[in-house]
Amino acid sequence: MINYAYIIPFLPLAAFAVNIFFGKRLKGVSAYIGIAAISASFLMSLAIFFAFLGGAQKYEVNPEWLNLGAVKFGMGFLVDGMTSVMLIVVTLVSLLVQIYSIGYMHGDPRYPRYYAYLGLFTFSMLLLVIANNFAMMFVSWELVGVSSYLLIGFWYEKKSASDAGRKAFITNKFGDFGFSIGIMMIFALCGTLNFGEVAEAISKGTLSGSALTLAGILVFCGAIGKSAQFPLHVWLPDAMEGPTPVSALIHAATMVAAGVYLVARTYFLYAASPAASAVVAYTGIFTAFFAATMALAATDIKRVLAFSTVSQLGYMIMALGVGGFTAGMFHLTTHAFFKALLFLGAGSVIHGAATQDIRDMGGLGKHMKITMVTFFIACLAIAGIPPFSGFYSKDEVLLAAFNYSKPIYIVATFTAFMTAFYMFRLFFRTFTGEMRTKLHPHESPYSMTIPLMVLAVLSVVAGWLFVQGHAFESLVHFKEGAAEEGNALVVWISIAASVIGIGLASAIYVFKVVPDGFFRNKFPRIHKVLINKWYVDEFYDKTVIKPSLNLARRLFSFDAKYVDGAVNLTGLVNVIISKLHNIFDKAAVDGAVNGVADVAQSGSGLLRKVQTGLVQNYMFLLVAGAALAVVVFFFIK
């Protein structure tokens, strides 16, 4: 089965092709075509996953794609333990999202196109997962970007949605530019783009020193964009304008996971460069803290989860930077399940209550029990409460940070406290207490609640299952460098931070020990900064967007006045010259030609009168001519 892994991405691609070309005729059937394709991909991924759990060896093929003599490019695929984990994550979450979408997107006029785009999105991510070289990864990387643009701006008739899609696409281009430069640099120095061959070149010293550090940082630029790390995080909160199931797919298993997976797959760059690893680590921890602060004040249910995703991605990136390779990939896996559950739960709330503002909610648990219970499980998982899945992976991340840098560990632990607080702030304000506005909530249909229940089970057991027998370590096959010192201490501090966060949220939003709005009123300036997302968008607006627009306007004005003026003047001169040429042509050239023609015509007219066709006339002219010749002869003589 492993050697047929390349088929897995192309099944969703086939569904995309069918739905995009025949969707109007298929209508509602398009959903089942997409679900059937991703189900087949999931079953194949499951078989591969269990094969690696059973001790299967990695499989790689690298067929030649482009031969330039001394330089050859391959476009192959690599299947190892890490690939098998990512295949499960992507196909399973995508399958549940597509089933969920049957109910959520019911009645949408572009229903078939929606499922076509989902197929393209899943294909792009799966192709990225199995890539064995930088070139193939970059191609699929860009396909992921295009797919996200189509889905974020799916409801393009809304200006906010079309703007969000464009913002996501353009913001990622900044990161992609650095990524592409890094790829070119690696190829120039190593003569290959194959991951294994580049790793071998590093081990031999072909790529080392400052060149290795620079290459690692440039490649990491791609992850900064896709995984929404500071300062390119600004696109992700606005990506909420797309359909909620799309948000679940983006935040859990596809686009944002691509950046983390890139760093993990190219970990040979960072394991050999402490400086590049430090850039990764400090970028990740700052992003984790920074995004968590914004989630504290957000009031849109999806934006709270978006900031949470940015923060958790920072956790994963930080883990990879501090040497916690297994921890980073472990948290990526468990996060996929509980974050998909949170977003799909939010979608269920929006579907049932017709609002996204948590200030308008309250008491929804009485009417949406399945949604409430599953959402509660996801909150416990992301808060890191044992025995939920997030507990196991988060503690691995904190342990890696503890062994690398105590300041990073302290910030990470405080971020864990904030995570627990804002998630239960969200839960209590949404599901408990009394309804604050006149809503008419109702539970979602089974097509939406069944995926919630499946993800809830995974959010409970996934971490424990991976920990048993050190299954995750055996799958990723990477030796950790740091000793596991202070394990018990880290675990207990982590649990304490989460419990305190939940307790504080309970005191404010359940028991009313501290009145709601106390901190907002006590620290209005801080609250304003957080509500406005630290004014990063405004900073970009003043320093990048407006100057760019002003430059564009000036260039347009210069183009219209000078460039177009010069072109138009040249055109006018050519018109005048052509008119003069026309006059000369008619007066001189045509005049001369016509004059010759007129002379010839006049002469021919005279000759035509002589040519009468009468014999007697010709005899007369002959005798007269002979007589004239005799007279002239004698006269001259």
Side-chain angles (χ1 to χ4, degrees):
M1 180 61 72
I2 294 175
N3 55 340
Y4 293 106
Y6 67 91
I7 297 174
I8 293 174
F10 291 97
L11 293 172
L13 181 64
F16 160 76
V18 172
N19 284 330
I20 203 70
F21 289 114
F22 307 106
K24 289 185 178 180
R25 295 181 183 178
L26 295 169
K27 297 181 181 179
V29 178
S30 57
Y32 299 99
I33 292 174
I35 291 170
I38 195 62
S39 296
S41 293
F42 169 67
L43 292 174
M44 291 184 68
S45 300
L46 197 63
I48 291 172
F49 176 76
F50 281 114
F52 278 99
L53 277 181
Q57 298 299 309
K58 76 173 184 179
Y59 180 77
E60 181 175 8
V61 291
N62 194 37
E64 188 175 283
W65 172 60
L66 184 63
N67 190 329
L68 300 177
V71 179
K72 298 178 181 179
F73 290 96
M75 275 292 189
F77 66 91
L78 168 66
V79 185
D80 57 10
M82 185 165 65
T83 306
S84 71
V85 172
M86 287 301 296
L87 288 175
I88 285 290
V89 169
V90 176
T91 55
L92 177 56
V93 173
S94 181
L95 173 60
L96 294 173
V97 164
Q98 294 204 29
I99 293 172
Y100 179 95
S101 297
I102 294 174
Y104 192 88
M105 296 298 291
H106 178 72
D108 191 283
R110 293 190 292 273
Y111 190 77
R113 181 175 294 185
Y114 170 80
Y115 272 94
Y117 290 167
L118 284 183
L120 180 63
F121 202 5
T122 306
F123 157 74
S124 304
M125 186 63 192
L126 290 171
L127 190 65
L128 186 150
V129 167
I130 67 171
N132 76 332
N133 62 83
F134 282 103
M136 186 171 171
M137 177 171 274
F138 190 76
V139 170
S140 51
W141 187 268
E142 294 303 307
L143 284 172
V144 168
V146 171
S147 304
S148 66
Y149 168 77
L150 295 173
L151 284 167
I152 293 170
F154 183 74
W155 289 320
Y156 56 81
E157 60 273 10
K158 289 171 53 183
K159 187 177 184 302
S160 57
S162 60
D163 287 349
R166 186 166 60 250
K167 184 177 182 179
F169 188 80
I170 294 173
T171 303
N172 272 274
K173 292 304 104 182
F174 286 93
D176 294 352
F177 177 72
F179 185 19
S180 63
I181 297 297
I183 291 174
M184 288 186 279
M185 181 179 177
I186 289 170
F187 179 75
L189 294 174
C190 299
T192 180
L193 293 177
N194 181 273
F195 295 141
E197 293 171 358
V198 173
E200 185 178 352
I202 292 173
S203 67
K204 292 179 179 179
T206 305
L207 179 60
S208 61
S210 58
L212 174 60
T213 299
L214 180 58
I217 293 172
L218 287 171
V219 170
F220 179 57
C221 287
I224 292 175
K226 280 287 189 292
S227 287
Q229 298 296 285
F230 181 87
L232 299 182
H233 66 283
V234 292
W235 68 269
L236 194 55
D238 290 345
M240 299 302 96
E241 293 292 338
T244 302
V246 170
S247 301
L249 192 58
I250 289 175
H251 285 249
T254 51
M255 188 166 178
V256 298
V260 180
Y261 181 74
L262 169 65
V263 178
R265 178 52 75 189
T266 61
Y267 198 68
F268 46 81
L269 293 172
Y270 307 100
S273 174
S277 295
V279 171
V280 173
Y282 284 101
T283 300
I285 191 59
F286 179 80
T287 303
F289 173 82
F290 180 73
T293 62
M294 293 185 282
L296 295 173
T299 54
D300 183 298
I301 187 171
K302 290 175 66 176
R303 284 185 181 270
V304 174
L305 298 179
F307 291 130
S308 170
T309 298
V310 176
S311 182
Q312 294 300 304
L313 290 168
Y315 250 83
M316 300 169 207
I317 291 292
M318 179 270 290
L320 293 170
V322 301
F325 178 82
T326 301
M329 286 303 298
F330 191 12
H331 198 55
L332 172 64
T333 304
T334 59
H335 175 267
F337 300 135
F338 58 71
K339 186 50 63 70
L341 176 55
L342 287 168
F343 267 104
L344 295 184
S348 182
V349 169
I350 296 167
H351 182 269
T355 181
Q356 294 184 201
D357 195 328
I358 61 175
R359 293 171 296 183
D360 297 334
M361 300 177 190
L364 297 185
K366 301 172 185 176
H367 308 276
M368 309 177 70
K369 288 183 171 56
I370 296 176
T371 301
M372 180 188 71
V373 172
T374 55
F375 202 92
F376 181 68
I377 290 171
C379 288
L380 290 171
I382 194 173
I385 299 298
F388 298 90
S389 60
F391 163 74
Y392 295 98
S393 59
K394 185 193 73 173
D395 280 359
E396 289 289 330
V397 171
L398 291 174
L399 181 60
F402 181 85
N403 290 316
Y404 180 83
S405 165
K406 297 305 183 288
I408 288 181
Y409 164 72
I410 292 170
V411 176
T413 302
F414 186 72
T415 301
F417 156 76
M418 288 193 289
T419 302
F421 174 79
Y422 68 67
M423 286 309 305
F424 276 86
R425 166 183 175 264
L426 175 63
F427 177 81
F428 292 139
R429 297 202 66 168
T430 302
F431 295 102
T432 65
E434 298 298 324
M435 203 174 298
R436 286 178 284 276
T437 56
K438 291 183 179 180
L439 301 175
H440 303 283
H442 57 84
E443 187 59 275
S444 300
Y446 285 121
S447 62
M448 295 171 66
T449 55
I450 289 175
L452 294 181
M453 290 185 278
V454 172
L455 287 167
V457 172
L458 291 170
S459 297
V460 174
V461 304
W464 180 82
L465 289 175
F466 275 121
V467 166
Q468 294 304 302
H470 299 282
F472 208 87
E473 288 88 339
S474 67
L475 286 169
V476 297
H477 290 298
F478 196 93
K479 296 180 180 179
E480 303 290 357
E484 294 192 357
E485 301 172 357
N487 196 346
L489 177 65
V490 169
V491 170
W492 285 111
I493 292 176
S494 169
I495 294 173
S498 299
V499 170
I500 293 171
I502 297 171
L504 182 59
S506 303
I508 297 173
Y509 301 106
V510 178
F511 301 109
K512 311 295 183 183
V513 175
V514 180
D516 186 11
F518 173 80
F519 293 104
R520 180 173 64 249
N521 298 328
K522 191 73 173 177
F523 308 102
R525 292 184 179 179
I526 295 176
H527 182 263
K528 187 177 181 181
V529 168
L530 298 182
I531 282 290
N532 288 282
K533 299 171 290 185
W534 291 89
Y535 295 100
V536 175
D537 282 299
E538 287 77 4
F539 174 78
Y540 282 150
D541 187 57
K542 289 183 179 180
T543 60
V544 179
I545 297 173
K546 285 184 178 178
S548 298
L549 290 175
N550 288 334
L551 177 62
R553 292 189 187 100
R554 291 177 183 275
L555 290 174
F556 174 78
S557 177
F558 178 83
D559 180 71
K561 184 181 292 185
Y562 297 104
V563 179
D564 286 357
V567 172
N568 293 338
L569 178 62
T570 302
L572 179 62
V573 171
N574 285 332
V575 169
I576 294 172
I577 293 174
S578 66
K579 288 181 177 180
L580 292 174
H581 282 173
N582 183 49
I583 294 171
F584 177 80
D585 184 67
K586 287 182 178 180
V589 179
D590 286 358
V593 173
N594 293 336
V596 173
D598 290 341
V599 171
Q601 187 176 18
S602 299
S604 65
L606 294 173
L607 292 175
R608 188 165 58 248
K609 292 178 180 179
V610 175
Q611 299 295 328
T612 61
L614 299 175
V615 175
Q616 57 269 32
N617 289 348
Y618 297 153
M619 290 300 296
F620 171 76
L621 289 174
L622 179 63
V623 171
L628 180 62
V630 170
V631 171
V632 170
F633 175 77
F634 282 108
F635 178 78
I636 293 173
K637 189 175 180 182

